Amino acid sequence: APESLTFAGAQDKIRRLALFFASLGLPRGAPLGISLPHGTEACLTLIAAEKAGFVPCLLPVSWGEDALLAARKKLAATQAQL
């Protein structure tokens, strides 16, 4: 059965996730890769990433570790050119 979530509960989850993202030490405006299946948790995670000042970047759930690492390296190379 789907999880029941109140507005207050959603706001609390968003706040806690945003605090966690902010604690990562990334600069504001940095891309933040997110790989989650569609659903409530994915939506709350996207909102929290934006609230923490990051740019959420959706990554396919089907990607394995090698594909995720390759994407990270490509992003780092692209950012170095900016």
Side-chain angles (χ1 to χ4, degrees):
E3 177 184 342
S4 177
L5 186 65
T6 65
F7 183 77
Q11 289 294 96
D12 184 57
K13 284 186 176 195
I14 290 168
R15 181 188 59 78
R16 287 185 288 127
L17 274 170
L19 288 171
F20 169 74
F21 291 149
S23 76
L24 296 175
L26 298 170
R28 289 184 63 81
L32 184 66
I34 298 171
S35 179
L36 290 171
H38 300 293
T40 304
E41 294 298 325
C43 294
L44 298 178
T45 302
L46 291 172
I47 294 168
E50 289 183 349
K51 184 174 181 161
F54 299 111
V55 178
C57 299
L58 298 174
L59 301 170
V61 176
S62 61
W63 283 10
E65 184 177 355
D66 291 341
L68 291 170
L69 289 173
R72 187 183 79 178
K73 287 179 184 178
K74 186 173 183 178
L75 176 62
T78 302
Q79 286 183 318
Q81 293 174 355
L82 298 177

